[in-house]
Amino acid sequence: MVKVCFISHSSQKWGAEKFLLETVLQLRDQIEIVVLLPNNGALCEDLQKYDIDHHIIPYTWWVGKNISIIKGVVKLVHSLFVGMYIAYKLKKMKCDVVFSNTCTICVGAIAAQVLRIKHVWFTHEFLWEDHQLRFHLGKNISTFLMDKLSHHCVVNSYAVYESFTKNLSRREKWRVMYQPVTLHFSPKPISIVAKKNFRCMILGAIKDNKGQKDAIAAVYLLKEKYSICAELFIIGDGKSEYVNELKKQVCEHDMQEQIIFIPYVEFAASWMNETDIVLVCSKNEAYGRVTVEAFLSKKSVVGSASGGTCELLKDDNNGLLYEPGNIEQLAKKIKILHDSETLRNEIAERAYLWAEDNISWQKYNKELCEILSVQSE
């Protein structure tokens, strides 16, 4: 049986980390699995709960925000030595394949190169466009190295594919694989405010590029221009300064009863069952896990026409798209779904069927097993 080492860039439970956990749970009967993490965290707890072999080895990213050249070089040298140490550990574990779960870490590629074993690099992000991160070596050199140090480079959308391969002379190692999603429901009834009006929900990390400000402004416009008193649940965590800035925006519009802030929730699907529609207002979403979760929950989505979102959403078919940053247009799209429950349900049903046909674990597992050289079941 092939033994694969999955390397996570963090021990938290955001989109990429959830995907890693769901992937290893899907493949655990077909491959031997070991997971490396840079520190302790929520992901470690889940790996332990499911009895997945995992180890903590402190390592750093080869990307960052506004890092000086000297500091960047220090981090790269550190990654080089840690990569060699990981190679030593993986040799003792008799691993056959290394799977780096995001492009933010390079230690897996270094370890695989030292051991001369297969390396797969899965990229979930644009970097600058969605997280304001830059490669210490620059994007052109880094993508060249990603290509050279990998047997396969997998990305989660065609938008990310174009972003990373546009300056490469050859692209045969690169492929797009849409990530499936497993819906997680709370084993107990969730505690939620009783729905009084039409309810919208926006889920994810609370930060500027996720578009919570746009959602708040659109709900305010619905009230002022169309006399629609819609509710908005903002679910997620973020830096306190930015969260307070959003709360100030809500208070200025006197919408404290309409707009509710809820910290990160473990069981997103249970919360989606309590809303009418889901908003995806990200300025540049690489893929859109929340979009797929909404599809599978049979909820209509209004999303910004950018990044991977417009690959998943087809306007007036399985969702509604609006121009990023256009508050008036966003409000109008929400109003369309508010005014017609029939249309809302039709769009949600088409979205569900599209997700079932195009983003299944069966299809994904087959492709991934081919990449890992494992016979799929």
Side-chain angles (χ1 to χ4, degrees):
M1 186 179 285
V2 173
K3 189 168 188 177
V4 181
C5 174
F6 290 84
I7 302 185
S8 179
H9 71 302
S10 92
S11 302
Q12 302 307 308
K13 283 185 66 179
W14 297 110
E17 297 92 333
K18 286 181 178 179
F19 166 72
L20 184 150
L21 178 63
E22 291 169 354
T23 298
V24 298
L25 291 176
Q26 286 284 327
L27 297 179
R28 66 189 306 182
D29 294 331
Q30 299 175 60
I31 60 175
E32 287 188 65
I33 293 168
V34 60
V35 178
L36 298 188
L37 309 106
N39 46 46
N40 221 326
L43 182 57
C44 296
E45 295 171 10
D46 275 358
L47 292 169
Q48 189 169 349
K49 180 174 72 174
Y50 291 111
D51 197 27
I52 301 293
D53 185 21
H54 62 284
H55 305 265
I56 295 174
I57 299 177
Y59 44 83
T60 59
W61 297 1
W62 69 327
V63 305
K65 291 185 179 182
N66 303 319
I67 290 180
S68 67
I69 294 175
I70 294 175
K71 194 171 182 179
V73 170
V74 170
K75 284 181 172 288
L76 288 168
V77 171
H78 178 265
S79 292
L80 180 62
F81 281 103
V82 174
M84 290 189 286
Y85 173 70
I86 289 174
Y88 164 75
K89 299 290 285 186
L90 297 189
K91 186 175 182 179
K92 290 182 68 176
M93 295 180 201
K94 298 181 179 179
C95 290
D96 304 295
V97 184
V98 178
F99 186 103
S100 295
N101 192 48
T102 80
C103 70
T104 62
I105 47 175
C106 62
V107 290
I110 294 168
Q113 187 71 14
V114 170
L115 295 175
R116 294 289 190 267
I117 60 176
K118 179 178 282 191
H119 179 252
V120 178
W121 218 320
F122 200 118
T123 297
H124 300 261
E125 54 280 305
F126 290 110
L127 276 190
W128 176 252
E129 294 90 333
D130 48 1
H131 299 293
Q132 288 72 59
L133 294 171
R134 297 185 190 277
F135 286 106
H136 297 326
L137 294 175
K139 192 164 187 177
N140 288 345
I141 293 175
S142 300
T143 50
F144 173 80
L145 289 173
M146 288 174 68
D147 185 77
K148 290 298 180 184
L149 298 177
S150 302
H151 290 74
H152 300 279
C153 295
V154 184
V155 295
N156 58 358
S157 70
Y158 287 97
V160 174
Y161 176 87
E162 288 300 325
S163 175
F164 275 79
T165 63
K166 61 185 177 183
N167 292 319
L168 292 176
S169 57
R170 305 180 69 176
R171 301 180 174 187
E172 61 266 22
K173 290 183 181 179
W174 296 73
R175 69 162 75 184
V176 176
M177 289 173 61
Y178 287 153
Q179 301 164 211
V181 168
T182 301
L183 295 183
H184 298 282
F185 295 92
S186 173
K188 301 177 182 178
I190 60 173
S191 177
I192 191 168
V193 178
K195 190 158 77 76
K196 299 176 183 177
N197 298 297
F198 184 77
R199 179 176 290 170
C200 310
M201 192 173 283
I202 182 168
L203 300 94
I206 297 180
K207 51 186 180 179
D208 182 60
N209 68 339
K210 290 294 185 179
Q212 286 92 357
K213 273 188 180 180
D214 290 356
I216 293 170
V219 169
Y220 175 69
L221 186 59
L222 284 170
K223 181 180 179 181
E224 292 298 301
K225 187 171 183 178
Y226 302 109
S227 299
I228 296 174
C229 190
E231 298 174 356
L232 174 64
F233 278 23
I234 299 175
I235 300 179
D237 292 331
K239 291 184 178 180
S240 57
E241 297 88 351
Y242 189 68
V243 174
N244 289 335
E245 186 180 331
L246 294 181
K247 289 181 177 179
K248 183 180 178 182
Q249 180 186 2
V250 171
C251 291
E252 287 173 352
H253 294 321
D254 193 25
M255 296 192 298
Q256 296 93 319
E257 292 188 7
Q258 283 179 253
I259 300 178
I260 309 296
F261 288 83
I262 299 169
Y264 170 85
V265 296
E266 179 74 19
F267 305 103
S270 295
W271 288 82
M272 282 189 182
N273 282 343
E274 303 298 326
T275 192
D276 292 299
I277 67 170
V278 173
L279 306 181
V280 178
C281 302
S282 304
K283 295 176 182 176
N284 233 322
E285 193 72 43
Y287 176 58
R289 179 185 175 90
V290 169
T291 301
V292 179
E293 286 177 327
F295 284 179
L296 295 175
S297 300
K298 293 190 176 181
K299 297 296 176 181
S300 291
V301 179
V302 178
S304 64
S306 64
T309 301
C310 51
E311 293 179 32
L312 303 176
L313 281 180
K314 305 304 176 187
D315 197 28
D316 294 325
N317 182 356
N318 64 348
L320 297 181
L321 291 169
Y322 74 97
E323 181 185 344
N326 189 328
I327 308 303
E328 176 79 32
Q329 197 176 79
L330 172 57
K332 285 181 179 179
K333 298 285 182 164
I334 296 172
K335 182 179 183 298
I336 289 170
L337 296 178
H338 167 274
D339 291 348
S340 176
E341 183 179 0
T342 300
L343 177 62
R344 198 161 70 235
N345 292 337
E346 288 175 354
I347 288 175
E349 183 65 24
R350 285 195 290 268
Y352 174 79
L353 293 174
W354 184 89
E356 286 282 292
D357 288 342
N358 293 278
I359 312 178
S360 69
W361 276 112
Q362 182 179 6
K363 179 182 178 182
Y364 174 82
N365 288 347
K366 182 180 179 182
E367 288 187 55
L368 187 56
C369 284
E370 289 173 0
I371 289 173
L372 299 175
S373 300
V374 181
Q375 186 174 356
S376 61
E377 294 181 350

